[in-house]
Amino acid sequence: MALSDKQQVPEPDPGSGDPTDFWSWWLDEGADACETAIESRSFEAVSDEINTRVHAVDPRLVWELGPGREARHVLVVTSEGDAGARAVARRWLRAAPAATATWEYADARQAEVDVDAMVLKIGETEVDFAAVRVVAERVGNHVDVVVHHPAMAALPEQARNTVAFLALDATLGENDCETWVGAVEVALAPPVGATLLSALRDAVEEVRADSVDEHGTPVWVLLRGEVDGAPIMAAAQVPLAGSWAPHLDTHLAVDVPYRRATEQGLPDPGTLESLRALEDHLGDRLGDSARLVAHETSAGTRTLHFYADSTAPAAAVVEAAVTGWDQGAVTVAAQPDPAWHAVRHLRT
């Protein structure tokens, strides 16, 4: 990247969360000023201005300028792993103007084209990514990764972890790393079966190919188990991660009771059809403001797990839409959950 802001702002005032002023400035003068700065490699004036503009949206956000994939340049504004600010970054991106031959935009750091050419300096230690080795093991619908570099043995634990995660981010990009990578382990000795960093991309692509269709729509998986001796059935989308749709930062738990059930407490065929119709009805009413990502069914209740945009009145929409349910009172509970913790137990 050519230029970035990673400075910490002491006790910042909260930003507005509204990207309108940022994009007005960008279209009026910011884009031209940044292009001039890149061409002249003189960033002082534009750096201060972008800091002010980005932090006015949210002080937790950081930015980078660099070469684009399709355009000549990319402007990245990212929460840098802060789940609470990820939704603001995505709203910033959703409000962006259309990409041009000169500029494109992203709300997460992109994968480096030639990751093996990168060199990271940690204190006095240089870590060349060409010497990083990884072992990637698919576990369900994610990849667990072991990371090794010869210099890691001389680094403190926190620095080792920093090297590992920066290497994975550079290889996959921030979003793919958060979406598809599970456990990350640092190895001080070369692990058996280790490969180059770039091979990790193939492992992630294999999981992605099994998890989303050609349009990027997640597949669903069926889950079965028991709770206190009672059978429970569940279904969940893959991927089930907040990084997949970061603007959906509020969890809606919709508890739908049903009376017509089997001996095991699961819905009978007619009730199952009614529950599916209710899900479709809620999806239609909510539109793009929320999505059903999972549901759990046991002992006379189906819990629908929606994630909603906190800037939309999704809970009120659901409450109004369920008044016609005739098998008991439906309850709706909403809580902020940008990291999608409420459905973590359903991830595969």
Side-chain angles (χ1 to χ4, degrees):
M1 288 294 178
L3 179 66
S4 67
D5 159 48
K6 298 182 182 179
Q7 64 187 26
Q8 296 295 319
V9 181
E11 298 183 0
D13 294 329
S16 67
D18 185 349
T20 304
D21 288 345
F22 177 92
W23 288 119
S24 295
W25 164 78
W26 179 261
L27 291 173
D28 288 344
E29 57 183 285
D32 290 340
C34 287
E35 185 176 12
T36 299
I38 292 170
E39 291 174 351
S40 66
R41 302 197 64 79
S42 177
F43 298 115
E44 289 79 5
V46 74
S47 176
D48 290 342
E49 185 69 19
I50 299 178
N51 285 344
T52 299
R53 298 287 180 174
V54 169
H55 293 155
V57 179
D58 193 300
R60 297 170 293 180
L61 300 178
V62 298
W63 58 271
E64 293 184 349
L65 300 176
R69 292 289 185 265
E70 303 294 334
R72 287 199 299 276
H73 313 298
V74 61
L75 169 62
V76 179
V77 170
T78 171
S79 68
E80 204 171 38
D82 185 331
R86 208 156 43 200
V88 183
R90 177 53 57 92
R91 294 185 190 112
W92 170 89
L93 180 62
R94 285 161 68 92
T100 65
T102 305
W103 286 104
E104 62 190 40
Y105 313 100
D107 64 347
R109 289 193 180 89
Q110 307 297 288
E112 296 292 336
V113 174
D114 186 6
V115 67
D116 293 333
M118 293 186 64
V119 177
L120 178 68
K121 191 164 185 179
I122 303 289
E124 297 301 316
T125 302
E126 287 193 349
V127 179
D128 56 320
F129 283 5
V132 173
R133 295 294 180 267
V134 295
V135 175
E137 179 184 3
R138 180 170 180 172
V139 180
N141 292 294
H142 64 269
V143 177
D144 289 346
V145 185
V146 178
V147 184
H148 168 74
H149 186 279
M152 282 181 167
L155 294 173
E157 182 178 1
Q158 184 174 352
R160 295 170 190 164
N161 293 334
T162 297
V163 169
F165 283 102
L166 288 178
L168 296 182
D169 276 351
T171 304
L172 301 173
E174 274 188 294
N175 276 346
D176 274 2
C177 191
E178 292 188 31
T179 302
W180 303 110
V181 173
V184 177
E185 178 185 343
V186 171
L188 300 185
V192 176
T195 61
L196 295 174
L197 265 176
S198 53
L200 179 59
R201 293 172 177 167
D202 294 334
V204 167
E205 282 304 317
E206 179 182 326
V207 176
R208 189 204 313 273
D210 293 339
S211 302
V212 297
D213 64 19
E214 65 273 17
H215 306 294
T217 303
V219 301
W220 282 65
V221 295
L222 297 177
L223 307 168
R224 290 179 172 83
E226 287 190 356
V227 176
D228 297 329
I232 182 170
M233 297 183 63
Q237 74 164 42
V238 178
L240 196 61
S243 51
W244 174 75
H247 61 296
L248 303 181
D249 54 352
T250 298
H251 176 244
L252 299 181
V254 183
D255 288 335
V256 184
Y258 54 87
R259 299 192 184 99
R260 297 187 292 275
T262 66
E263 292 181 358
Q264 292 77 33
L266 299 175
D268 67 14
T271 298
L272 188 59
E273 185 176 342
S274 298
L275 287 167
R276 290 170 177 163
L278 178 64
E279 292 172 11
D280 292 342
H281 175 59
L282 293 178
D284 290 342
R285 293 288 299 272
L286 288 165
D288 291 335
S289 68
R291 296 179 191 177
L292 179 68
V293 301
H295 58 70
E296 300 175 85
T297 308
S298 181
T301 299
R302 170 166 286 191
T303 298
L304 307 177
H305 296 284
F306 284 91
Y307 274 87
D309 188 327
S310 58
T311 65
V317 170
V318 172
E319 289 170 350
V322 297
T323 54
W325 183 253
D326 62 358
Q327 296 195 47
V330 177
T331 61
V332 181
Q335 64 176 354
D337 186 16
W340 291 25
H341 288 303
V343 292
R344 179 162 295 184
H345 62 292
L346 297 174
R347 292 177 185 169
T348 60

